[in-house]
């Protein structure tokens, strides 16, 4: 850590001090703001000067040994944000929730806890820390400190489960995630994310020198262009082929559902499996969740029937709670985005002439492609 209490219980931070000033402090006594046990100054060749517990100290909030890249990133973020805003603190301990964000920013109407995360974090820890802040009305700002894996042009990025937890949503930038490259002192924003599989996403990316990053972050507008038709057609074909080759119909819930409805994967209508922005919310393939939307809501309705949005949404929720549609775990994305996911798909069905919106959230079944 970069901040500790001195013997008069005054906050001391090492990051604005010269090497000589740090050396002069070495004989003084310092204490951990959290557990109050003594800490010592370590100033070596590799890591920036920092405080460390004596070995064997059991400190709840301590995740030592802290890596040099974590300390460096934390220092950069603190220095940069305090150049923009006067009310920024480093490693401030928040006793009511027993958490110590890397950087704490309080603006007039809102406070933010910035967490710079280099190592993999479990979903339990991520949720506890996130909820801890949110319950106090503090907005968590999670920034990745480990490089994002690029896969070719587009770009395509591959995100392991723990990194996916950092995904957020903004209406103009779409789904996005941020990464601070502490060595190059630049921020990378990957935005307009769309999911291709459980781990693979397409995205747009912008790289900014940290000094030009504003707070709260100003994200670019996403390019409206959707996935190219050919790309998703091919990826759907591959998915179908794999499904048929490697899953036995008896054990696969989706294939079983198709079988019971006397449908077959090779002959489902082409408005099922369409790429949408919010398909990222689901681990289930678009062919799966869109099939259930159509099957539960429209297929047995005769021409001229009226279907209401909330009816459809209830079917949709039931498919999720019973595990037919599997959702991605995204603690920073509001649950209501699932409403948007369904609305977005219904808009596509309107464009394809399957349904017509007659009133707000009321649809007329045209009789095309329904039994
Ligand atoms: Zn401690």
């Amino acid at each position: 850590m970069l901040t500790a209490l001195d013997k008069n219980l005054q906050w001391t931070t090492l990051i604005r001090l010269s090497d000589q000033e740090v050396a002069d402090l070495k004989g003084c006594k310092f204490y951990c703001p959290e557990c109050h046990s003594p800490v010592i100054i370590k100033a070596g060749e590799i890591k920036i000067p920092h405080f460390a517990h004596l070995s064997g100290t059991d400190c709840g909030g301590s995740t030592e040994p802290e890596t040099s890249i974590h300390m460096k990133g934390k220092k950069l973020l603190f220095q940069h944000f305090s150049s923009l805003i006067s009310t920024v603190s480093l490693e401030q301990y928040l006793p009511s929730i027993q958490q110590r964000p890397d950087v704490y920013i309080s603006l007039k109407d809102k406070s933010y806890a910035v967490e710079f995360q280099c190592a993999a974090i479990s979903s339990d820890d991520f949720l506890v820390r996130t909820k801890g802040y949110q319950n106090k009305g503090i907005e968590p700002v999670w920034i990745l400190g480990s490089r994002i894996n690029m896969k070719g042009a587009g770009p395509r990025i591959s995100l392991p489960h723990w990194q996916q937890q950092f995904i957020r949503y903004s209406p103009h930038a779409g789904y996005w995630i941020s990464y601070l490259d502490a060595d190059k002192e630049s921020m990378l924003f990957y935005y307009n994310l769309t999911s291709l599989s459980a781990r693979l996403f397409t995205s747009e990316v912008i790289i900014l020198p940290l000094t030009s990053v504003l707070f709260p972050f100003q994200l670019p507008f996403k390019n409206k262009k959707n996935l190219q038709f050919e790309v998703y057609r091919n990826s759907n074909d591959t998915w179908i082929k794999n499904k048929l080759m490697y899953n036995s119909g008896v054990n696969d819930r989706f294939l079983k559902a198709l079988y019971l409805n006397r449908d077959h994967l090779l002959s489902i209508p082409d408005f099922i499996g369409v790429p949408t922005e919010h398909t990222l919310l689901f681990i289930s393939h678009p062919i799966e969740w869109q099939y259930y939307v159509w099957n539960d809501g429209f297929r047995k309705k005769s021409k001229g029937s009226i279907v209401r949005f909330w009816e459809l949404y209830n079917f949709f929720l039931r498919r999720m709670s019973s595990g037919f549609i599997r959702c991605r775990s995204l603690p920073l994305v509001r649950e209501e985005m699932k409403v948007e996911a369904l609305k977005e798909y219904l808009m596509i069905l309107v464009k394809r002439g399957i349904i017509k919106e007659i009133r707000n959230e009321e649809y007329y079944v045209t009789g095309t492609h329904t039994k």
Side-chain angles (χ1 to χ4, degrees):
M1 59 192 151
L2 302 171
T3 315
L5 299 170
D6 68 11
K7 62 178 193 304
N8 300 318
L9 300 181
Q10 296 300 306
W11 289 90
T12 305
T13 177
L14 298 176
I15 67 173
R16 290 203 183 93
L17 304 182
S18 66
D19 290 353
Q20 187 54 50
E21 286 169 316
V22 171
D24 291 345
L25 284 176
K26 271 199 166 176
C28 304
K29 284 196 158 40
F30 293 99
Y31 304 90
C32 169
E34 222 167 318
C35 67
H36 297 113
S37 54
V39 290
I40 51 166
I41 293 179
K42 286 194 169 175
E45 289 289 299
I46 299 165
K47 293 184 181 178
I48 56 176
H50 61 280
F51 295 104
H53 286 86
L54 303 170
S55 57
T57 311
D58 186 24
C59 176
S62 162
T63 49
E64 289 169 14
E66 205 177 328
T67 60
S68 62
I69 197 75
H70 182 249
M71 280 193 283
K72 188 174 179 190
K74 183 158 71 173
K75 176 181 166 181
L76 286 170
L77 289 168
F78 172 70
Q79 285 174 330
H80 173 58
F81 293 140
S82 28
S83 75
L84 303 173
I85 301 160
S86 60
T87 44
V88 178
S89 52
L90 180 68
E91 299 175 341
Q92 181 175 337
Y93 183 57
L94 308 171
S96 62
I97 49 172
Q98 298 181 12
Q99 283 173 252
R100 190 171 52 184
D102 292 328
V103 178
Y104 184 70
I105 303 174
S106 46
L107 296 182
K108 210 165 32 181
D109 44 7
K110 204 167 185 184
S111 298
Y112 300 84
V114 178
E115 293 277 12
F116 177 59
Q117 187 69 32
C118 301
I121 177 170
S122 75
S123 44
D124 285 347
D125 286 349
F126 188 86
L127 213 59
V128 166
R129 283 160 76 181
T130 295
K131 290 269 176 259
Y133 295 131
Q134 287 173 338
N135 291 341
K136 289 283 165 190
I138 300 166
E139 188 174 321
V141 178
W142 288 91
I143 300 171
L144 277 173
S146 65
R147 195 167 294 282
I148 286 177
N149 205 353
M150 305 267 277
K151 300 248 176 196
R156 291 184 181 192
I157 58 173
S158 166
L159 301 173
H161 173 78
W162 77 269
Q163 290 186 337
Q164 290 181 28
Q165 302 179 101
F166 289 56
I167 294 176
R168 304 183 59 182
Y169 181 76
S170 118
H172 75 270
Y175 291 95
W176 63 277
I177 195 165
S178 62
Y179 159 58
L180 169 68
D181 186 334
D183 286 327
K184 295 195 176 126
E185 306 192 9
S186 56
M187 280 288 291
L188 287 83
F189 293 96
Y190 295 86
Y191 62 103
N192 198 11
L193 298 180
T194 54
S195 56
L196 294 172
S197 71
R199 291 169 75 113
L200 200 62
F201 302 82
T202 61
S203 90
E204 295 181 62
V205 64
I206 184 169
I207 305 174
L208 298 170
L210 181 59
T211 48
S212 66
V213 172
L214 301 175
F215 193 88
F217 298 145
Q218 306 277 306
L219 294 154
F221 279 83
K222 68 189 171 204
N223 189 335
K224 286 260 159 42
K225 204 169 54 189
N226 258 331
L227 267 186
Q228 284 175 346
F229 183 80
E230 283 304 315
V231 174
Y232 85 81
R233 230 326 96 81
N234 289 340
S235 105
N236 279 2
D237 288 348
T238 310
W239 185 83
I240 289 172
K241 212 169 79 190
N242 287 337
K243 198 88 174 154
L244 293 174
M245 270 172 75
Y246 302 114
N247 290 286
S248 82
V250 192
N251 296 322
D252 187 286
R253 288 182 97 177
F254 181 58
L255 292 182
K256 198 169 168 184
L258 288 177
Y259 175 79
L260 293 174
N261 292 322
R262 295 183 188 167
D263 285 322
H264 194 275
L265 254 190
L266 294 172
S267 57
I268 50 173
D270 70 351
F271 55 81
I272 290 170
V274 185
T276 67
E277 176 177 36
H278 298 296
T279 210
L280 184 142
L281 298 173
F282 311 106
I283 294 173
S284 296
H285 193 275
I287 291 177
E288 292 178 280
W289 70 261
Q290 292 173 10
Y291 174 81
Y292 291 126
V293 170
W294 171 67
N295 181 70
D296 299 349
F298 302 114
R299 83 174 305 174
K300 293 190 188 75
K301 294 276 162 49
S302 52
K303 179 180 173 179
S305 310
I306 304 296
V307 183
R308 282 170 191 83
F309 179 80
W310 294 106
E311 243 175 280
L312 298 169
Y313 190 62
N314 278 333
F315 290 137
F316 196 39
L317 285 180
R318 217 174 296 161
R319 287 290 184 181
M320 290 181 228
S321 60
S322 55
F324 282 95
I325 299 176
R326 291 189 303 133
C327 299
R328 211 180 284 280
S329 157
L330 302 167
L332 303 179
V333 175
R334 288 180 305 120
E335 211 37 41
E336 297 89 87
M337 292 313 295
K338 293 187 175 121
V339 172
E340 299 307 315
L342 182 56
K343 285 188 176 164
E344 185 189 14
Y345 182 53
L346 293 177
M347 281 293 294
I348 290 170
L349 295 183
V350 169
K351 275 191 199 141
R352 296 287 190 96
I354 315 301
I355 50 173
K356 269 185 198 161
E357 186 163 17
I358 44 167
R359 257 181 297 268
N360 192 24
E361 303 189 337
E362 260 183 48
Y363 301 91
Y364 167 95
V365 179
T366 63
T368 329
H369 296 294
T370 55
K371 284 179 191 164

